Amino acid sequence: MFHFKLALDSLRKNKESYLPFLLAGGVAVALNFLVQLLIYSSGVRHLEIAADIVRLLLILGQVIIALLSLVITIYTYSFLKKGKEKEFGLYSILGMKKSDLIKISLIQQLLSFSITIVTGLVSGFVFAKLMILLLVKMVGGQTFGLELSSPAIWTTVAFFLVVFLLLTIIDVFAVAKTKPIDLMRAKQKGASAPKNRWLFFLCGAIALIWGYTLSLTVSSPLQAVNQFFLAVLLVAVATYLLFIAASTLILKSLQKNDRYYYQSKHFITVSNMLFRMKQNAVGLASIALLTTMTLVVTVTTASMFFGKADLVSKMFPRDVTVSVSNNALSKKQVEDLVAKAGLTISKEYSQTTTEPIRMALNDSQKLVPTEFANQQNERNVQFMSLADYRALTGAKVQLTSNQVLAYTRNGKALNQSSVSFAGQKYTIKKNLTSIKGMPAATADTTPAYVFVLPTEADLHSVTKLLFKADSNPMQTSYYFNVAGSDKQQERLYEVLQDKESDNVTFQLRFMTQKVMSALYGGFFFIGILFSIAFILATGLMIYYKQISEGKADRAQFEILQKVGMSEHEIKKTIRSQIIWLFGLPIAVSLIHLSFAMPMINKLLLAFSVPLTDAVYIVMATTILLMVLIYFIIYKITSHTYFRQVTGFN
Amino acid sequence: MPLLTVDHLKKEYKSKRSSQKVLALKDVDFQVEEGEFIAIMGESGSGKSTLLNCIATLDKPTAGHILLKDADLSQLKDKDLAAFRRDHLGFVFQNFNLLDTLTVQDNIYLPLVLAKNTKGKEKKLLTLAQQLGIADLLHKYPYELSGGQQQRVAIGRALITKPELLLCDEPTGALDSKNAEDILKLFSDCHENGQTILMVTHSSLSASHAGRVLFIKDGTVFHQLYRGDKSDQEMLVAINDAMTNLLGGQA
């Protein structure tokens, strides 16, 4: 009881330094809990096809966040430790045994652990629920299933138990190793000038180059999935090492440059930064990683969301597509079905091609029908006659015999001048960039070719060789817009579903869009949730960092004032210091992001999502938003910091 | 014309909690001629630090004037104060107040850098460093030095701008007697080179190096003592006598 009282007393006395620590700890718990909740949520489970990549990203996020939490907690604790050690020194001089001190430390850790866990779990859950409410309103669609799950709670609690155990071990070491008089002096000990750390620099540089190279040289989506984690880990480690080593190297070289260094606006900033770099580096690297994480998550999820929207518009030149083979339905019958659903048709047209056939493109540019193509050379191929092509597009192209027009979707156009199929070699007269009226994308990501053959006879001979003999491979697709209510569109879906068979397939933009926005809306939601949590955590961290350092800087600015630094100059110095602190991580994260883009691109392709222009708009918006939020935090921070170090207003 | 004129200076403090005013300086009136070495003595709470802060422009008088040559310090605008301090005044503090993040050399350069007057700084530093006996410490950091060495660096920082007036606040307060003696010897040397020095202290030993000693009690100049042709030892005896007689035997 006596120990408990002392522990509580010390907490109360060091309130000023404990509160920010508890705050940072609480935020870390909340973040971890949030991710855990998502991993185990029914919302993610119900994402169906995308569930795996979401899981992968979430688990990756969890690893990074766990790492960051550990760093942040130990870092913020180090500020606290000095004051605490002094107190322990006093107790020790007053006659307490080391075992008593350790007991007190244990009780303190237990107290702060309980406080952070409870506040973190509660605020994490409340935050998640609130964000869901808000985002469901914004994005629309059904609610996102997120429930309080015990594995999520236990994992979070267990992780932070380990973290706090680590802090206790640090305490025990400090107590056990030192003499009381050293503990007393812990707070006064000035940090010594940092040394150049070439080894750190070298390792960091190697890790960075390795990580960047992995991203730049990734060749296939599959490889991207496999190497993404390694690349992220390498870059994360490199960021920490380089911030520690390179910052010192750069600042020292700036110090050597007389003309730069001996200017009032650089003098104090540079020497100050150099000294605080040991602590600053870890903090700044963490901030840079958080920022990068935010950007990557936003870009990935935005790509998913907008990529699909883009895909839908490419897949549907009109609201409805009905494809019919073997004259199973006439045009009139299709129109009747639409009328039955109570909808009116407009802008109708049709197109005639063969059904798609799966072929493999081998090394000698020969297309061979196949059932088992590998990922690299599989192609979906369709054929159409020149007459049908002209009827569809109104183009006045001529083809001589053995000449074809080629049109490629979902991939790079054929780059050779000729291609062989059905035992015949054809010269490619032109690689078409589009065929008017034909969808510019298909639902899957396999590259697809359409070849326009010169005559009906050519078409006939090709289909005879490639398709089964007993069926007519030609299919006619009807494209049209419909006007009517959502209910009527749903009716149309049911009506067409009744007619669906081997010979009749159909697609409705309305329904596809609905399914996709449910799917990718959930995904986008997770991304936004993540980004907001990250941005907030980062802001808090910068704020915390400045405030905790402000206390230490106060004496210094007092001296500077006495020696003749004006309020204006102090303001300027503080500003440039804080600008560095804010600007550097953002700059680094932008560089990281640009190097990560190739890999992200491939990663998205693995889940059949192309990178569209909309993504860059989202990216720019995110960056702007982030800068804006940071600017606000910067303003608040510099104001508070300035008041703290100078005592002016 | 005197270098420094303190003209009926009065300073009141309002305490934060109560409306009651505390009178720190009642009526202080004295002059300092160029080249003088003056010590201001008084007990804790006598107002000597307040006086120094007012002269140093760190604090504003309630009434009265302080003139440095013909510039009235109370007329200076807030934004010009810092520039005035670094151009005309040098400071030596009891606890040195060196910046731990700067090397000895950079600590001494600091006022020059702030004044954007770094031309020929190396030469100025070299002369000073030799004079102060810190030439081989220039690339060390303050926390690597002893108290006496730190105070030498602080004096270097105060003198590098060639200030018209060197203000010292208990410069030997944190030093042992050997180091204190060395530092006082340094002040005497500077004084002989023509430096005007105003030192606040409660140590009669420190004051015994000065050419004139002002005694402050209850916010006024109570008594002053001229060295004349006394040696340091005789001066010390005279100061101690004055303290015993005039200040009621509190020393």
Side-chain angles (χ1 to χ4, degrees), chain A residues 193 261-262 271 556 559 561 564, chain B residues 85-86 97 101-102 106 143:
Chain A
Y261 181 51
Y262 290 114
S271 55
Q556 201 190 11
I559 298 173
Q561 248 177 293
Chain B
R85 275 202 288 279
R86 68 176 183 236
N97 277 346
T101 54
L102 296 176
D106 288 345
Y143 53 81

Side-chain angles (χ1 to χ4, degrees), chain A residues 19 76 88 109 140 146 165 236 355 473 517 556 610 622 630:
Chain A
L19 273 181
T76 48
F88 279 6
Q109 293 306 357
L146 187 112
L165 212 63
E355 288 171 352
S517 46
Q556 201 190 11
T622 314
Y630 282 7

Side-chain angles (χ1 to χ4, degrees), chain A residues 188 190-193 252 255 258 261-265 267-268 271-272 274-275 555-557 559-567 569 572, chain B residues 58 79 82-83 85-86 89 91 93 96-103 105-107 109-111 113-116 118 121-122 141 143 157:
Chain A
Q188 299 157 10
S192 52
K252 282 213 162 175
Q255 242 178 0
D258 264 27
Y261 181 51
Y262 290 114
Q263 283 181 31
S264 60
K265 55 177 180 264
F267 193 59
I268 297 299
S271 55
N272 240 354
L274 182 65
F275 255 78
Q556 201 190 11
F557 280 104
I559 298 173
L560 284 169
Q561 248 177 293
K562 282 183 185 162
V563 178
M565 198 169 195
S566 66
E567 193 177 327
E569 282 167 322
K572 231 163 70 181
Chain B
L58 294 170
K79 68 177 173 57
R85 275 202 288 279
R86 68 176 183 236
L89 305 174
F91 292 91
F93 306 93
F96 326 131
N97 277 346
L98 296 173
L99 293 181
D100 265 342
T101 54
L102 296 176
T103 58
Q105 169 184 318
D106 288 345
N107 259 297
Y109 280 155
L110 180 63
V113 174
L114 291 179
K116 300 185 176 62
T118 50
K121 60 183 189 304
E122 291 83 2
Y141 282 93
Y143 53 81
R157 179 180 67 187

Side-chain angles (χ1 to χ4, degrees), chain A residues 318-322 334-335 338 344-349 478-482 492 496:
Chain A
R318 293 287 186 269
D319 290 343
V320 184
T321 311
V322 181
V334 173
E335 283 167 359
V338 176
T344 47
I345 287 188
S346 63
K347 293 189 172 173
E348 190 185 8
Y349 67 86
Y478 299 100
Y479 298 91
F480 51 86
N481 281 347
V482 289
L492 177 63
L496 287 171

